[in-house]
Amino acid sequence: MFKRYFIALLVVIISVIFATAGFTWRVDPYGLYGEYTKEDSFKKPEVNNQIRLHKRAQLECNRYDALILGNSRAYRAYDPEHVFFNGYSTYNLALSGAHVDEIYSVLKYANRNSDVKKVLLVLDYSLQKDIDNSETKISSNIFRNANPDISQKLLFLRNTLLSVKSLKDSYKTLSYSASDGDRVTERGFYNEKINNYLEKDFRRLELDYLNKLVVAGVEAQVESEHDRFKYYYREVLAYLYKNDIDATIVVSPLHARFLQVLQAAGLWSNYEDWKKILVVENTEYAQKYNVAPYSVYDAAIYNAYNTEIISADKLSKWYFESSHARPEYGSALLDEIMEGKDSGLAVRLSVNSMDEHFEHQRAQRLRYLECCGGQVMHIKSERHGLDNK
């Protein structure tokens, strides 16, 4: 009797497991197992929950000869179907929270089965401790380990087919209409449909970042001299130049309000030092490979777009919030780079022009505070409060 009961129970359990796995596989909420077409991309709002696994699967199923690399600021701002990439099969391989170490791993992984010829490398200032922490994150290892062992494969199957979350996300996928939520397109671009970010969202993000930067400590960041960033940035440059990959390097645009966060945290000089590293190291590697250096554009500057006045009742034209530019900004920036025109979105940097550029930007910051200082009073007040804790 007990044996029959045990067998029946075992059959039920196995049936439930297979039914769950089969259902989740068929719905494929993360776009990992089936054909992920452009039409389907607007029916899978949960893809972003497993974006690293999803983008790795796309690399394994498709061949791309142009890539967009970076973190969420590149993920949300640069459309791989922009004319900047005409003639290429382009994929937005940017990942939320990615630091330069993961960007390096992603670049190498992408080029295993593809012949990458063009890269838009979008870089951001990172704290030394954030890069250190990134090296130990499980999510960052998804692209580092090209040949996962059986335990990692089983974990992958469990997380994507047999977890409670994957089951819930499958039901969500079925219930969403084409007009709901956010979508990741066929080309890896985060096509955000709900974008009603208001002034309160700007403030909340700015104060959260300021608190993080102050807690991290200016001294520790300055003492590091960007060692970990330089190490991986050199690896990226060496890989690009060695493999004859055409690259354009962009410092992500930031709203003036976010630039004021860096200033209030006492990291402005360190931020300038970081930009110098981008240019100097790039120039040195170009000389090593006896080619012209890649173009480096600084879009984190004071211009008409980045000093746009943010109001409580009107959406920003150029920003989701002060840390993430909209696709309209990314498109305009790529237009400017292509056309070689100076419409003020970015400044092309060279070894000889950096000091003058930084001096000009400091003067522009003071002008911004004179005309728009009220926009950043909450940042000053918060810094004062942190100092008094």
Side-chain angles (χ1 to χ4, degrees), residues 265-285:
L267 290 170
W268 188 263
S269 179
N270 193 250
Y271 187 43
E272 289 182 348
D273 291 341
W274 172 78
K275 290 181 180 180
K276 288 179 181 178
I277 289 171
L278 300 185
V279 178
V280 172
E281 295 293 339
N282 176 51
T283 303
E284 290 181 359
Y285 271 84

Side-chain angles (χ1 to χ4, degrees), residues 28-47:
D28 193 17
Y30 309 128
L32 300 173
Y33 299 103
E35 183 181 0
Y36 193 60
T37 65
K38 189 170 184 179
E39 180 183 0
D40 286 339
S41 71
F42 292 95
K43 299 177 183 177
K44 296 182 184 291
E46 304 305 317
V47 163

Side-chain angles (χ1 to χ4, degrees), residues 85-241:
F85 303 103
N86 274 1
Y88 294 91
S89 175
T90 307
Y91 191 68
N92 188 322
L93 197 47
L95 300 163
S96 297
H99 295 287
V100 66
D101 59 308
E102 189 172 10
I103 290 173
Y104 174 53
S105 300
V106 165
L107 172 61
K108 290 195 301 178
Y109 194 97
N111 207 33
R112 288 191 316 152
N113 301 319
S114 297
D115 185 17
V116 177
K117 294 297 184 184
K118 185 182 181 74
V119 164
L120 177 65
L121 179 60
V122 185
L123 294 173
D124 282 285
Y125 174 78
S126 299
L127 297 177
Q128 175 87 359
K129 61 179 293 186
D130 287 341
I131 299 175
D132 290 339
N133 292 339
S134 173
E135 293 176 329
T136 62
K137 285 184 178 179
I138 296 175
S139 59
S140 296
N141 288 326
I142 288 175
F143 290 94
R144 291 196 185 107
N145 193 350
N147 300 298
D149 59 30
I150 186 65
S151 64
Q152 292 171 317
K153 291 179 180 178
L154 290 174
L155 181 62
F156 168 77
L157 293 174
R158 189 200 73 180
N159 289 341
T160 59
L161 292 179
L162 291 171
S163 68
V164 173
K165 180 170 180 52
S166 65
L167 188 61
K168 287 181 178 179
D169 287 343
S170 294
Y171 281 110
K172 286 182 182 178
T173 299
L174 292 177
S175 65
Y176 273 109
S177 70
S179 61
D180 291 333
D182 308 324
R183 302 293 188 275
V184 179
T185 70
E186 178 190 21
R187 295 288 183 172
F189 179 50
Y190 189 71
N191 188 25
E192 188 168 12
K193 290 181 173 294
I194 299 176
N195 54 20
N196 54 332
Y197 291 78
L198 299 174
E199 210 276 339
K200 62 181 180 181
D201 299 296
F202 283 71
R203 283 186 174 235
R204 181 169 57 248
L205 177 137
E206 290 151 10
L207 298 184
D208 285 348
Y209 262 96
L210 177 59
N211 186 65
K212 172 188 174 181
L213 294 172
V214 170
V215 170
V218 177
E219 294 80 7
Q221 178 65 13
V222 171
E223 287 174 5
S224 72
E225 295 183 338
H226 301 282
D227 284 342
R228 299 306 289 163
F229 179 87
K230 281 189 285 189
Y231 173 81
Y232 286 109
Y233 181 53
R234 288 166 178 163
E235 294 290 298
V236 171
L237 289 174
Y239 192 90
L240 291 170
Y241 280 113

